[in-house]
Coordinates of all heavy atoms in Angstrom, one line a residue:
A394 N 51.2 -34.0 30.2 CA 50.4 -34.9 31.0 C 50.7 -34.7 32.4 O 51.8 -34.7 32.8 CB 50.6 -36.4 30.5
P395 N 49.8 -34.7 33.3 CA 50.0 -34.6 34.7 C 50.6 -35.9 35.3 O 50.3 -37.0 34.8 CB 48.7 -34.3 35.4 CG 47.6 -34.9 34.4 CD 48.3 -34.7 33.0
A396 N 51.5 -35.7 36.3 CA 52.1 -36.9 36.9 C 51.0 -37.7 37.6 O 50.1 -37.1 38.3 CB 53.3 -36.5 37.9
R397 N 51.0 -39.0 37.5 CA 50.1 -39.9 38.2 C 50.7 -40.6 39.3 O 51.8 -41.1 39.2 CB 49.5 -40.9 37.3 CG 48.7 -40.3 36.1 CD 48.1 -41.3 35.2 NE 47.3 -40.7 34.1 CZ 46.6 -41.4 33.3 NH1 46.6 -42.8 33.3 NH2 45.9 -40.9 32.3
V398 N 50.0 -40.5 40.6 CA 50.5 -41.3 41.7 C 49.9 -42.7 41.7 O 48.7 -42.9 41.6 CB 50.1 -40.5 43.0 CG1 50.5 -41.3 44.2 CG2 50.6 -39.1 43.0
P399 N 50.7 -43.8 41.7 CA 50.2 -45.1 41.7 C 49.3 -45.4 42.9 O 49.6 -44.8 44.0 CB 51.5 -46.0 41.6 CG 52.5 -45.1 42.2 CD 52.2 -43.7 41.8
P400 N 48.4 -46.3 42.8 CA 47.6 -46.6 44.0 C 48.4 -47.2 45.1 O 49.4 -47.9 44.9 CB 46.5 -47.6 43.3 CG 47.2 -48.1 42.2 CD 48.0 -47.0 41.7
G401 N 47.8 -47.1 46.3 CA 48.5 -47.6 47.5 C 49.3 -46.5 48.2 O 49.4 -45.4 47.8
E402 N 49.9 -46.9 49.3 CA 50.6 -45.9 50.1 C 52.0 -45.7 49.5 O 52.7 -46.6 49.2 CB 50.7 -46.4 51.6 CG 51.4 -45.5 52.5 CD 51.5 -46.1 53.9 OE1 51.0 -47.2 54.1 OE2 52.2 -45.5 54.7
G403 N 52.2 -44.5 49.3 CA 53.5 -44.0 48.8 C 54.6 -44.0 49.7 O 54.4 -44.2 51.0
P404 N 55.8 -43.8 49.3 CA 56.9 -43.8 50.2 C 56.9 -42.6 51.2 O 56.4 -41.6 50.8 CB 58.2 -43.8 49.4 CG 57.6 -43.1 48.1 CD 56.3 -43.7 47.9
Q405 N 57.3 -42.8 52.4 CA 57.4 -41.8 53.4 C 58.3 -40.7 53.0 O 59.5 -40.9 52.6 CB 57.7 -42.4 54.8 CG 57.5 -41.3 55.9 CD 57.7 -42.0 57.3 OE1 58.6 -42.8 57.4 NE2 56.9 -41.7 58.3
R406 N 57.9 -39.4 53.2 CA 58.7 -38.3 52.8 C 59.8 -38.1 53.9 O 59.6 -38.3 55.1 CB 57.9 -37.1 52.6 CG 57.0 -37.0 51.5 CD 56.2 -35.7 51.4 NE 55.3 -35.8 50.2 CZ 54.6 -34.7 49.9 NH1 54.7 -33.6 50.6 NH2 53.8 -34.8 48.8
F407 N 61.0 -37.7 53.4 CA 62.1 -37.3 54.3 C 61.7 -35.9 54.9 O 61.4 -35.0 54.0 CB 63.4 -37.4 53.7 CG 63.9 -38.8 53.4 CD1 63.9 -39.3 52.2 CD2 64.4 -39.5 54.5 CE1 64.2 -40.6 52.0 CE2 64.9 -40.8 54.3 CZ 64.7 -41.3 53.0
R408 N 61.9 -35.7 56.1 CA 61.9 -34.3 56.7 C 63.0 -33.9 57.4 O 63.7 -34.8 58.0 CB 60.6 -34.2 57.6 CG 59.2 -34.6 56.8 CD 58.1 -34.3 57.7 NE 56.9 -34.7 57.0 CZ 55.7 -34.6 57.5 NH1 55.5 -34.2 58.8 NH2 54.6 -35.0 56.8
L409 N 63.3 -32.6 57.4 CA 64.5 -32.2 58.1 C 64.5 -32.5 59.6 O 65.5 -32.6 60.2 CB 64.7 -30.7 57.9 CG 65.0 -30.3 56.4 CD1 65.1 -28.8 56.3 CD2 66.3 -30.9 56.0
G410 N 63.3 -32.6 60.2 CA 63.1 -32.8 61.6 C 63.4 -34.3 62.0 O 63.5 -34.6 63.1
G411 N 63.4 -35.2 61.0 CA 63.7 -36.6 61.3 C 62.6 -37.3 60.7 O 61.7 -36.9 60.1
A412 N 62.6 -38.7 60.9 CA 61.6 -39.6 60.2 C 60.3 -39.3 60.8 O 60.1 -39.3 62.0 CB 62.0 -41.0 60.5
G413 N 59.3 -39.2 59.9 CA 57.9 -39.0 60.3 C 57.7 -37.6 61.0 O 56.7 -37.4 61.7
G414 N 58.6 -36.7 60.9 CA 58.5 -35.4 61.5 C 58.9 -35.4 63.0 O 58.6 -34.4 63.6
R415 N 59.3 -36.5 63.5 CA 59.6 -36.6 65.0 C 61.0 -36.0 65.3 O 61.9 -36.3 64.5 CB 59.6 -38.0 65.4 CG 58.1 -38.7 65.3 CD 58.2 -40.2 65.6 NE 58.9 -40.9 64.6 CZ 59.3 -42.2 64.6 NH1 58.9 -42.9 65.6 NH2 60.0 -42.7 63.7
T416 N 61.1 -35.4 66.4 CA 62.4 -34.9 66.8 C 62.5 -35.2 68.3 O 61.6 -35.6 69.0 CB 62.4 -33.3 66.6 OG1 61.4 -32.7 67.3 CG2 62.3 -33.0 65.2
G417 N 63.7 -35.0 68.8 CA 63.9 -35.2 70.2 C 65.0 -36.1 70.3 O 65.7 -36.6 69.4
P418 N 65.4 -36.5 71.6 CA 66.5 -37.5 71.9 C 66.3 -38.8 71.1 O 65.2 -39.4 71.1 CB 66.4 -37.7 73.4 CG 65.6 -36.4 73.9 CD 64.7 -36.1 72.8
G419 N 67.3 -39.2 70.5 CA 67.3 -40.5 69.8 C 66.8 -40.4 68.4 O 66.8 -41.4 67.6
H420 N 66.3 -39.2 67.9 CA 65.9 -39.0 66.6 C 66.8 -38.0 65.9 O 67.1 -37.0 66.4 CB 64.4 -38.4 66.6 CG 63.4 -39.4 67.1 ND1 63.0 -40.6 66.5 CD2 62.8 -39.3 68.3 CE1 62.1 -41.1 67.3 NE2 62.0 -40.5 68.4
Q421 N 67.3 -38.5 64.8 CA 68.2 -37.6 64.0 C 67.6 -37.2 62.7 O 66.6 -37.8 62.3 CB 69.5 -38.5 63.7 CG 70.3 -38.7 64.9 CD 71.7 -39.3 64.7 OE1 71.9 -39.7 63.5 NE2 72.5 -39.4 65.7
G422 N 68.1 -36.3 62.0 CA 67.7 -35.9 60.7 C 68.1 -36.8 59.6 O 68.5 -37.9 59.7
I423 N 68.1 -36.2 58.4 CA 68.4 -37.0 57.2 C 69.9 -37.5 57.2 O 70.8 -36.7 57.5 CB 68.1 -36.2 55.9 CG1 66.7 -35.8 55.9 CG2 68.5 -36.9 54.7 CD1 66.3 -34.9 54.8
Q424 N 70.1 -38.7 56.8 CA 71.4 -39.3 56.7 C 72.2 -39.1 57.9 O 73.5 -38.7 57.9 CB 72.2 -38.6 55.5 CG 71.4 -38.9 54.2 CD 71.5 -40.4 53.8 OE1 72.4 -41.2 54.1 NE2 70.4 -40.8 53.1
G425 N 71.6 -39.3 59.1 CA 72.4 -39.3 60.3 C 72.9 -37.9 60.7 O 73.9 -37.7 61.3
S426 N 72.2 -36.8 60.4 CA 72.5 -35.5 60.8 C 72.4 -35.4 62.3 O 71.6 -36.1 63.0 CB 71.6 -34.5 60.1 OG 70.2 -34.7 60.4
P427 N 73.2 -34.5 62.9 CA 73.1 -34.4 64.4 C 71.8 -33.9 64.9 O 71.0 -33.3 64.2 CB 74.2 -33.4 64.7 CG 74.4 -32.6 63.5 CD 74.1 -33.6 62.4
P428 N 71.4 -34.3 66.1 CA 70.1 -33.8 66.7 C 70.0 -32.3 66.8 O 71.0 -31.7 66.8 CB 70.1 -34.5 68.0 CG 71.6 -34.8 68.5 CD 72.2 -35.1 67.2
A429 N 68.8 -31.9 66.8 CA 68.6 -30.4 66.9 C 69.1 -29.9 68.2 O 69.1 -30.6 69.3 CB 67.1 -30.0 66.7
P430 N 69.5 -28.6 68.3 CA 70.0 -28.1 69.5 C 68.8 -28.1 70.6 O 67.6 -28.1 70.2 CB 70.3 -26.6 69.1 CG 70.6 -26.7 67.7 CD 69.7 -27.7 67.2
P431 N 69.2 -28.0 71.9 CA 68.2 -28.1 73.0 C 67.2 -27.0 72.9 O 66.0 -27.2 73.0 CB 69.0 -27.9 74.2 CG 70.4 -28.4 73.9 CD 70.6 -28.0 72.4
D432 N 67.6 -25.8 72.6 CA 66.6 -24.6 72.5 C 65.6 -24.9 71.4 O 64.3 -24.7 71.5 CB 67.3 -23.3 72.3 CG 68.2 -22.9 73.4 OD1 67.9 -23.5 74.5 OD2 69.1 -22.0 73.3
R433 N 66.0 -25.5 70.3 CA 65.1 -25.7 69.1 C 64.2 -26.8 69.5 O 63.0 -26.8 69.2 CB 66.0 -26.0 67.9 CG 65.1 -26.5 66.7 CD 66.0 -26.8 65.6 NE 65.2 -27.6 64.6 CZ 65.8 -28.1 63.5 NH1 67.1 -28.1 63.3 NH2 65.1 -28.9 62.7
R434 N 64.6 -27.9 70.2 CA 63.8 -29.1 70.6 C 62.7 -28.5 71.4 O 61.6 -29.0 71.3 CB 64.7 -30.1 71.1 CG 65.6 -30.9 70.2 CD 65.9 -32.2 70.6 NE 66.4 -32.3 72.0 CZ 67.8 -32.2 72.3 NH1 68.7 -32.1 71.3 NH2 68.2 -32.2 73.6
R435 N 63.1 -27.7 72.5 CA 62.2 -27.3 73.4 C 61.1 -26.5 72.7 O 59.8 -26.7 73.0 CB 62.9 -26.4 74.5 CG 62.0 -26.0 75.6 CD 62.7 -25.1 76.6 NE 63.9 -25.9 77.1 CZ 65.2 -25.4 76.8 NH1 65.3 -24.4 76.0 NH2 66.1 -26.0 77.2
A436 N 61.5 -25.7 71.7 CA 60.4 -24.9 71.0 C 59.5 -25.8 70.3 O 58.3 -25.6 70.2 CB 61.2 -23.8 70.1
E437 N 60.1 -26.8 69.6 CA 59.2 -27.7 68.9 C 58.2 -28.5 69.7 O 57.1 -28.7 69.3 CB 60.1 -28.6 68.0 CG 60.9 -28.0 66.9 CD 61.9 -29.0 66.2 OE1 62.0 -30.0 66.7 OE2 62.4 -28.6 65.1

Side-chain angles (χ1 to χ4, degrees):
R397 296 185 178 182
V398 179
E402 183 179 357
Q405 191 176 34
R406 294 183 178 180
F407 288 103
R408 299 185 179 181
L409 291 177
R415 295 173 294 174
T416 57
H420 296 288
Q421 293 188 348
I423 299 176
Q424 299 296 327
S426 59
D432 293 341
R433 175 181 162 191
R434 291 203 306 269
R435 188 180 306 112
E437 291 175 348

